Amino acid sequence: MFRYHILRFIKHPVRCGAVLLLWIGMLRWVLTDTFFSTDFQGAINLTLPVLPYIFLVFLAVSYECFYDLKRHRLEDLICIGRTNRFRVQIYDGILLLLLNLVTSGLVYAYHNWFYIHRGIYNQHLQIYTLRLVLIYVFLPTLLAIVIGWAISNIQNRLYALSAVLLSFYLFDSSFLNLLLALSKSNYSIWKFGTLFSLFFQSECGALRDCHYLLTAENVHIYRILFFLFLMLTCVVYCGVRRKIWAFFPFGISMVMLALFFMPTGAVYNFSHFMSAFDSAVHDQIYYDEDEQHALDDAKAEANRKDFQVTAYDVDVRMTDILNLSVTITLDCTDLPEYQFTLYHLYHIEKIQDDSGKDLPYERESDYVLVQNPTADLQKVTITYSGDSQYFYATSQGMILPANFEYLPVAGWHKVFVSNWDGIAEITFSRELLPQKARFSVDLRLRGSYPVYSNLMVKRLGKQDGYYHWMIQGESDGLTLIGNPYLEQRKIDGVNVIYSVLDESYAPTEQNLSLYRELFSELEDAGHSLRGKTFIVSPEDNNGNWCVGENHIVGIPLDREYIMEYYQNHTLYIPMTPETAPNGMSIKELSDWKEREEKNEESQDDTVIQ
């Protein structure tokens, strides 16, 4: 019975030829120098050029299979022992599913071939690649099969072929870029555009999550399942007599759509396409606005150093977004108001005193002003949730460095600094707490990945569906990092935490000398890191570095900056004609200095008045 479907597929020259041509084309691509000369930047990057072609071929072949079956006479179905056309279509679907498995298996084999050729083959990379192939190759191809099945119900051949081409266009980069062009400042349109990002393309860099694809996995699965069950709704409605059965897949598709549009910490990098929601430039665009820059300057000027935080008691619940309740112990209890800095995308739900009473507060961007109606305020509890476009924290992975204001910091400080501040960099502030504080963190994760920190970490097991961790200690900042591919290693007495997938900076044999040179140079200068922690920033976060009392977050190539910090406490590269970024001319630098002088003069006039 199933043999009949296989023979019918093989005897059809278009269907069989298209799949064979796809496999041959993939093999030819693998055997070219381009494949083996590709710089390794993550497993998914190797298949970026072929993903759209796999989708298109299976979309067309699926349509041809199911459309051809509809032309069969009842006598043909009786000959193979079937009188129910819908059940016969299921057999064709199973055959296409097997071809999808073979294609995904070839992609997986090609990746392993590449790893062996580059000498980076290991078990972690194998498991990681298998997961990526299943999520980013197998699932989209399965969707292509179901879309072709649904389109085969269109009676008019011309309309049906047009629907095939339109379906491919909806998921192609040209349509995606059209939507992104309309969404530079509109989050709703941007979010709607991401619904169609089934596969990635290296030419446009559309919706590539460069942080090991960890944060976007759940969202990608939601979008695939939405379209999959939506197309199954059409298939069931057209293929069975009891139309009410179609409501079951339709209901599931609506649930997946709701999950997709829920707040998420998924991080996207549009690479060659400027967008306000790109992980790399989102904060730069936000903080470079004239109004925001003026606000940052005004708040930093109004900053008071009336109090400090002596302890943080943090309750963290991490799903697809970050949920925190932070109890802050104050060293000065009788001030009329307290200033705090908290990253603006974290939305405050409530602020309470140590007795549980709500405290009045005002918030403007990153700056929070809490009123104190009592004479003695020992502690402040701030409950908030949200996500960052750059420093992510989800059920798949997280990186929350100590210099990022994901915890409320005493006083008003600039979260982000740029050329406007007289430095030759565009980066998050590298300042940590002015004095050590006690940290006690109760961390509950939906994900099962390991968690590391610059403080003592203890895993407590699984409770109520969450993986429970406890982090405790004293420091001038708290860094949290986690994903399934992290390991730690002692190098010359320094605890190095890194990802095994990071070929560029993992302390392998070829990179080990970078770490030993850095640690030796610091020790010779009287700044030994023995007994301390060096956390290697994940890919695309390694532009951010900070130096703390008991740890460093960065990469070994930051040696020059780290040494400069220890010797002169220099946090940023000053703006000069030589260090001006992005090819800034002498005239532009002169204009910038002139603006600064005018600002200083206006401030002096204000003081005199």
Side-chain angles (χ1 to χ4, degrees):
M1 202 177 302
F2 191 64
R3 179 171 169 270
Y4 164 80
H5 293 269
I6 297 175
L7 291 175
R8 189 167 62 86
F9 183 87
I10 293 174
K11 290 178 180 179
H12 195 288
V14 175
R15 295 195 291 263
C16 185
V19 175
L20 287 176
L21 188 63
L22 174 66
W23 291 347
I24 293 171
M26 291 168 60
L27 180 61
R28 184 178 180 279
W29 173 68
V30 168
L31 294 176
T32 60
D33 293 336
T34 305
F35 180 86
F36 286 111
S37 64
T38 302
D39 292 333
F40 179 66
Q41 296 175 341
I44 195 67
N45 287 354
L46 301 180
T47 53
L48 287 175
V50 298
L51 289 181
Y53 300 105
I54 295 174
F55 185 90
L56 179 60
V57 167
F58 272 87
L59 177 63
V61 168
S62 173
Y63 165 73
E64 280 295 326
C65 279
F66 293 113
Y67 181 82
D68 182 61
L69 190 61
K70 291 175 73 68
R71 295 184 299 177
H72 277 210
R73 294 176 302 166
L74 184 61
E75 291 84 351
D76 296 330
L77 298 177
I78 294 175
C79 288
I80 62 171
R82 294 288 181 187
T83 57
N84 188 313
R85 183 177 278 111
F86 183 72
R87 292 181 181 177
V88 176
Q89 287 179 331
I90 292 177
Y91 276 95
D92 266 14
I94 294 173
L95 175 61
L96 291 170
L97 182 63
L98 292 176
L99 293 174
N100 183 11
L101 285 171
V102 173
T103 304
S104 301
L106 288 174
V107 172
Y108 179 70
Y110 294 161
H111 278 83
N112 283 283
W113 191 359
F114 174 84
Y115 300 151
I116 293 172
H117 177 80
R118 292 288 299 273
I120 56 175
Y121 186 83
N122 60 62
Q123 183 180 4
H124 294 283
L125 206 52
Q126 262 189 304
I127 298 172
Y128 169 69
T129 303
L130 179 62
R131 189 165 84 176
L132 287 187
V133 169
L134 286 175
I135 295 175
Y136 293 96
V137 180
F138 177 78
L139 282 181
T141 306
L142 178 62
L143 176 60
I145 294 171
V146 178
I147 291 176
W149 189 356
I151 293 175
S152 69
N153 290 287
I154 300 176
Q155 299 297 326
N156 188 294
R157 179 77 161 173
L158 180 61
Y159 290 165
L161 291 175
S162 299
V164 169
L165 295 176
L166 178 62
S167 299
F168 179 72
Y169 173 73
L170 287 176
F171 303 123
D172 186 59
S173 61
S174 55
F175 178 67
L176 202 55
N177 282 342
L178 174 64
L179 291 176
L180 295 180
L182 300 173
S183 65
K184 287 187 178 181
S185 58
N186 189 310
Y187 179 81
S188 299
I189 297 177
W190 171 82
K191 187 67 175 179
F192 176 75
T194 64
L195 187 63
F196 298 93
S197 60
L198 294 188
F199 44 74
F200 310 90
Q201 294 199 5
S202 56
E203 290 79 16
C204 66
L207 300 181
R208 279 179 49 206
D209 171 17
C210 40
H211 305 275
Y212 308 127
L213 293 166
L214 290 173
T215 63
E217 283 184 357
N218 283 0
V219 180
H220 187 71
I221 293 173
Y222 296 152
R223 75 164 62 92
I224 289 283
L225 293 180
F226 162 68
F227 284 112
L228 188 67
F229 282 101
L230 187 64
M231 293 299 104
L232 279 176
T233 301
C234 301
V235 169
V236 173
Y237 186 83
C238 298
V240 300
R241 292 180 180 178
R242 300 185 64 182
K243 308 300 182 185
I244 195 157
W245 285 106
F247 282 98
F248 178 70
F250 179 76
I252 297 178
S253 70
M254 292 299 102
V255 171
M256 293 299 111
L257 183 64
L259 290 173
F260 175 83
F261 279 106
M262 286 181 66
T264 174
V267 177
Y268 293 110
N269 190 329
F270 295 86
S271 187
H272 304 297
F273 193 93
M274 181 65 73
S275 169
F277 309 104
D278 183 287
S279 64
V281 299
H282 168 81
D283 293 289
Q284 178 185 343
I285 293 173
Y286 177 83
Y287 288 104
D288 270 355
E289 292 288 338
D290 290 342
E291 291 182 5
Q292 182 61 37
H293 176 68
L295 175 66
D296 290 338
D297 284 344
K299 294 297 184 181
E301 222 176 280
N303 178 41
R304 298 191 303 268
K305 299 180 180 179
D306 299 332
F307 74 101
Q308 293 298 333
V309 176
T310 60
Y312 288 92
D313 293 285
V314 186
D315 184 12
V316 184
R317 182 169 52 86
M318 198 176 297
T319 54
D320 280 342
I321 61 174
L322 190 62
N323 303 275
L324 299 100
S325 179
V326 182
T327 299
I328 301 165
T329 302
L330 308 171
D331 67 347
C332 187
T333 62
D334 58 353
L335 297 177
E337 55 189 21
Y338 293 85
Q339 298 173 335
F340 293 99
T341 302
L342 179 66
Y343 184 63
H344 62 276
L345 287 182
Y346 294 128
H347 306 292
I348 296 176
E349 298 174 15
K350 58 185 176 180
I351 299 180
Q352 298 175 316
D353 61 15
D354 44 357
S355 65
K357 293 181 179 179
D358 289 345
L359 293 174
Y361 68 92
E362 300 172 5
R363 186 178 194 184
E364 194 171 9
S365 185
D366 301 319
Y367 310 103
V368 183
L369 185 66
V370 180
Q371 305 293 336
N372 179 17
T374 67
D376 185 23
L377 186 61
Q378 302 284 340
K379 296 181 179 180
V380 174
T381 299
I382 305 178
T383 303
Y384 55 96
S385 62
D387 60 83
S388 164
Q389 295 288 325
Y390 193 69
F391 296 116
Y392 54 91
T394 74
S395 57
Q396 284 83 38
M398 67 174 166
I399 171 64
L400 297 170
N403 62 304
F404 175 55
E405 278 78 0
Y406 71 97
L407 294 178
V409 177
W412 285 341
H413 313 278
K414 288 189 176 184
V415 173
F416 197 85
V417 293
S418 65
N419 312 140
W420 287 95
D421 302 294
I423 65 171
E425 297 180 84
I426 301 173
T427 181
F428 283 89
S429 170
R430 298 190 177 116
E431 296 181 16
L432 302 187
L433 300 178
Q435 62 186 40
K436 290 201 297 185
R438 177 186 59 80
F439 292 89
S440 178
V441 182
D442 187 356
L443 175 62
R444 289 171 292 166
L445 300 175
R446 281 294 187 195
S448 60
Y449 55 82
V451 175
Y452 294 90
S453 175
N454 58 308
L455 302 180
M456 185 185 68
V457 179
K458 183 179 181 181
R459 183 167 183 168
L460 302 179
K462 191 173 183 181
Q463 300 175 4
D464 302 325
Y466 288 90
Y467 293 90
H468 196 190
W469 298 79
M470 183 64 69
I471 300 101
Q472 293 179 323
E474 284 191 2
S475 181
D476 56 353
L478 173 66
T479 293
L480 297 175
I481 184 171
N483 71 59
Y485 309 104
L486 286 180
E487 287 187 355
Q488 59 180 343
R489 175 181 179 179
K490 285 280 187 182
I491 302 177
D492 297 339
V494 183
N495 186 33
V496 179
I497 299 169
Y498 63 96
S499 169
V500 295
L501 302 181
D502 193 348
E503 185 190 19
S504 301
Y505 303 113
T508 55
E509 294 305 319
Q510 58 266 36
N511 296 329
L512 194 57
S513 60
L514 295 175
Y515 290 89
R516 286 185 167 154
E517 289 173 8
L518 171 62
F519 299 157
S520 175
E521 192 172 344
L522 286 172
E523 189 157 5
D524 292 342
H527 306 290
S528 176
L529 293 183
R530 290 184 180 275
K532 299 181 181 180
T533 302
F534 190 98
I535 299 175
V536 182
S537 293
E539 182 184 358
D540 271 26
N541 274 135
N542 48 41
N544 175 75
W545 61 268
C546 66
V547 178
E549 170 266 338
N550 65 350
H551 78 298
I552 293 176
V553 178
I555 57 176
L557 294 183
D558 291 329
R559 180 173 63 181
E560 178 183 348
Y561 307 126
I562 293 171
M563 288 299 301
E564 181 68 22
Y565 171 81
Y566 275 112
Q567 292 172 358
N568 303 313
H569 205 73
T570 302
L571 292 172
Y572 314 103
I573 303 173
M575 178 82 82
T576 65
E578 292 76 22
T579 61
N582 303 323
M584 182 181 284
S585 66
I586 299 295
K587 183 182 184 304
E588 290 172 321
L589 183 63
S590 176
D591 292 342
W592 172 80
K593 287 183 176 179
E594 186 177 338
R595 287 196 304 269
E596 289 297 300
E597 290 172 0
K598 287 182 179 179
N599 289 337
E600 290 177 5
E601 290 175 3
S602 63
Q603 291 170 10
D604 292 339
D605 292 341
T606 303
V607 172
I608 292 172
Q609 292 173 5

